[in-house]
């Protein structure tokens, strides 16, 4: 699953908040500008009506007619109209209203807008002129002698001004948003650089690189404090692992020494010609147990070394097929002596992995040794290698009795031995060693459930690319 980074999430959050703020500001600005322009238009209409009233009082209705006709011609009949109504609401004067016919009824503004108008009162109404797709601001005033002045003026110029300012603001804001997103993304990348370095260090530790530390580079108090705390934790872990390794080595050393002495004493007695036969049998058993204990201690040390990543670091590219060829040559005589057919099927492709050849040889040898030990005469053991989905697979199959369902969850536990192993010699550490080697090199080991009989163990390791080789 592809996880989204914190930088990506924070950038998306920034863009979302900025976009919502932009929309809110744009909406508020549009409302404020629309109201302001409407107020300006109303003031101009009211001022113009005052001038007409003065003309009416000085020159009478004829003088007002001449004035309105001249004003209509000056402003344009498609932009404005003037109507004078008598006190009985009869049309006395009317300029060309052709462009406003969809909002004019009976050569006047609809009477509903004049209902109850009082002398000296001014009224304003905005209507939408559908054919011309523009708003018209209407003005009505009743003079003291009862005549009514009606005016209408398109608001396209004001609307265009509002739209132009809105577009400029929108384009500017989107440009700021685009640049801001890039800048914010880079800031977040720089901020998260320290966290990424900690992640890289953790990944290196996961690959057994316990000496890695997070570099301190003054990336802010929070990041630096986190890096310092993480480095202190690593130092403490390294000390604890070292102490555990010392304890393990000391225990192994103090066990090996008395075991070696017991074995040496037993050998002396065993090869003494004066020893009786019964004594030799008992001493021979003691020697075998000493050898088994010594081998067990050695395997435990190797597993501890692999799991704690404190073992030798002789890593490099390994040709899987070369390792399997050595295994085949090593175990072929043993298999033939047990009347077991030992075969191999190597991949036709070169399978190169990163690892320690001695460890890998030991892991595969453990699997083959188990297969030979638990396969009856006339059975078979097959070692295979192949490439699957960019991984190298090494499988060891046998035709033995298989492993019971009850034992399978525990077979990789240290010292665990299944209930059906009988008298077969073993210490219960071989598969633990195999699993430790697989994990050391980012691989895995599994037991195949599909076999009807016998057992198949499969080791899986990541392949090296040509560049890594």
């Amino acid at each position: 699953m592809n996880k989204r980074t914190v930088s990506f999430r924070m950038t998306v959050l920034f863009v979302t908040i900025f976009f919502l703020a932009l929309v809110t500001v744009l909406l508020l600005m549009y409302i404020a500008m629309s109201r302001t322009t409407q107020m300006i238009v109303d003031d101009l209409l009211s001022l113009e009506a005052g001038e007409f009233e003065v003309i009416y009082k000085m020159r009478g209705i004829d003088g007002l007619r001449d004035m309105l006709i001249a004003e209509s011609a000056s402003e344009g009949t498609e932009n404005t109209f003037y109507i004078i109504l008598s006190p009985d609401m009869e049309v006395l004067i009317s300029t060309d209203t052709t462009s406003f016919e969809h909002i004019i009824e009976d050569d006047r503004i609809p009477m509903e807008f004049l209902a109850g108008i009082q002398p000296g009162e001014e009224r304003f109404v905005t209507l939408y002129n559908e054919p011309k797709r523009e708003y018209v601001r209407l003005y009505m005033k009743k003079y003291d002698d009862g005549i009514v002045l009606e005016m209408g003026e398109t608001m396209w110029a004001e609307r265009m001004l509002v739209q132009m300012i809105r577009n400029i603001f929108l384009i500017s804001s989107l440009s700021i948003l685009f640049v801001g997103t890039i800048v914010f993304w880079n800031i977040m990348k720089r901020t998260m650089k320290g966290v990424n370095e900690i992640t890289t260090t953790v990944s290196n530790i996961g690959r057994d690189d316990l000496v890695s530390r997070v570099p301190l580079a003054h990336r802010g108090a929070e990041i630096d404090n986190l890096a310092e705390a993480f480095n202190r934790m690593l130092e403490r872990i390294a000390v604890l692992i070292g102490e555990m390794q010392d304890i393990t080595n000391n225990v192994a050393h103090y066990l090996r020494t008395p075991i070696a002495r017991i074995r040496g004493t037993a050998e002396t007695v065993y090869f003494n010609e004066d020893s009786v036969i019964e004594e030799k049998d008992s001493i021979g058993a003691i020697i075998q147990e000493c050898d088994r204990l010594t081998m067990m201690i050695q395997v435990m040390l190797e597993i501890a070394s692999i799991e704690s990543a404190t073992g030798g670091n002789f890593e490099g590219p390994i040709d899987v097929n070369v390792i399997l060829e050595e295994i085949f040559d090593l175990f072929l005589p043993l298999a033939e002596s047990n009347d077991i057919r030992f075969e191999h099927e190597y991949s036709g492709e070169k399978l190169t992995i990163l690892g320690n050849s001695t460890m890998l040889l030991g892991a595969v040898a453990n699997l083959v040794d188990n297969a030979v030990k638990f396969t009856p005469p006339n059975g078979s053991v097959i070692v295979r290698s192949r490439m699957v989905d960019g991984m190298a697979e090494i499988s060891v199959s046998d035709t033995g009795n298989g492993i019971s369902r009850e034992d399978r969850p525990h077979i990789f536990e240290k010292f665990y031995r299944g209930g059906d192993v009988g008298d077969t010699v073993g210490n219960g550490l071989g598969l633990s060693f195999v699993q430790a080697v697989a994990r050391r090199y980012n691989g895995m080991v599994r037991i195949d459930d599909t076999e009807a009989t016998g057992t198949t163990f499969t080791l899986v390791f990541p392949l090296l690319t040509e560049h890594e080789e």
Side-chain angles (χ1 to χ4, degrees), residues 260-328:
R261 288 176 181 170
I262 293 172
R263 191 181 189 284
T265 302
E267 280 185 339
T268 301
V269 176
Y270 183 82
F271 290 108
N272 188 340
E273 295 180 353
D274 297 333
S275 299
V276 296
I277 298 300
E278 292 77 7
E279 290 176 332
K280 285 192 174 184
D281 292 342
S282 300
I283 291 171
I286 292 174
I287 292 174
Q288 288 181 353
E289 288 302 313
C290 288
D291 291 342
R292 194 175 70 83
L293 286 173
T294 302
M295 179 62 70
M296 184 183 298
I297 292 172
Q298 182 62 34
V299 175
M300 285 176 60
L301 287 175
E302 289 179 358
I303 293 175
S305 175
I306 294 170
E307 291 180 340
S308 64
T310 57
N313 191 28
F314 305 109
E315 297 176 345
I318 299 175
D319 189 331
V320 169
N321 291 336
V322 171
I323 295 293
L324 297 188
E325 191 65 38
E326 292 183 34
I327 292 289
F328 186 79

Side-chain angles (χ1 to χ4, degrees), residues 97-281:
T97 59
T98 306
S99 299
F100 305 93
E101 58 184 2
H102 284 80
I103 61 176
I104 295 294
E105 294 179 357
D106 298 330
D107 298 328
R108 72 192 71 179
I109 294 174
M111 292 299 293
E112 61 185 274
F113 299 121
L114 290 172
I117 189 170
Q118 299 298 317
E121 181 182 354
E122 295 177 314
R123 289 184 179 179
F124 298 91
V125 177
T126 300
L127 295 179
Y128 185 65
N129 194 5
E130 180 67 28
K132 301 184 71 173
R133 296 184 177 179
E134 62 185 10
Y135 286 93
V136 178
R137 190 65 172 167
L138 303 178
Y139 173 86
M140 293 148 284
K141 182 176 182 180
K142 190 173 187 179
Y143 291 165
D144 294 338
D145 59 358
I147 71 169
V148 176
L149 170 63
E150 295 181 341
M151 292 190 296
E153 183 173 314
T154 59
M155 300 181 67
W156 67 270
E158 291 76 12
R159 295 287 175 183
M160 288 295 294
L161 176 62
V162 172
Q163 290 179 4
M164 183 181 68
I165 296 176
R166 181 197 62 189
N167 292 339
I168 292 174
F169 180 81
L170 183 62
I171 293 172
S172 302
S173 299
L174 290 177
S175 300
I176 294 173
L177 177 62
F178 177 74
V179 175
T181 301
I182 295 176
V183 173
F184 188 81
W185 169 260
N186 285 309
I187 291 175
M188 285 304 302
K189 292 273 288 184
R190 290 177 60 85
T191 303
M192 298 305 295
K193 184 178 179 182
V195 177
N196 293 333
E197 289 177 348
I198 293 176
T199 303
T200 302
T201 303
V202 173
S203 300
N204 290 336
I205 292 172
R207 292 193 294 268
D208 305 332
D209 183 10
L210 288 178
V211 298
S212 290
R213 295 293 182 272
V214 181
L216 303 177
H218 303 292
R219 292 177 295 271
E222 293 85 355
I223 300 297
D224 287 345
N225 290 339
L226 177 62
E228 290 175 359
F230 192 78
N231 287 341
R232 286 196 297 271
M233 182 187 70
L234 291 178
E235 295 289 349
R236 182 58 181 159
I237 291 174
V239 170
L240 290 175
I241 291 177
E243 292 175 351
M244 291 175 61
Q245 186 65 30
D246 290 341
I247 292 173
T248 304
N249 290 336
N250 290 335
V251 170
H253 172 73
Y254 288 115
L255 284 176
R256 277 175 170 173
T257 301
I259 291 173
R261 288 176 181 170
I262 293 172
R263 191 181 189 284
T265 302
E267 280 185 339
T268 301
V269 176
Y270 183 82
F271 290 108
N272 188 340
E273 295 180 353
D274 297 333
S275 299
V276 296
I277 298 300
E278 292 77 7
E279 290 176 332
K280 285 192 174 184
D281 292 342

Side-chain angles (χ1 to χ4, degrees), residues 362-404:
V364 180
N366 265 287
L367 295 178
V368 175
D369 183 59
N370 285 342
V372 172
K373 282 194 296 187
F374 294 103
T375 299
N378 300 319
S380 65
V381 174
I382 303 177
V383 178
R384 299 182 177 92
S385 66
R386 60 175 182 168
M387 180 190 299
V388 179
D389 297 331
M391 306 288 282
E393 287 194 357
I394 304 169
S395 63
V396 178
S397 303
D398 63 59
T399 56
N401 295 327
I403 299 174
S404 68

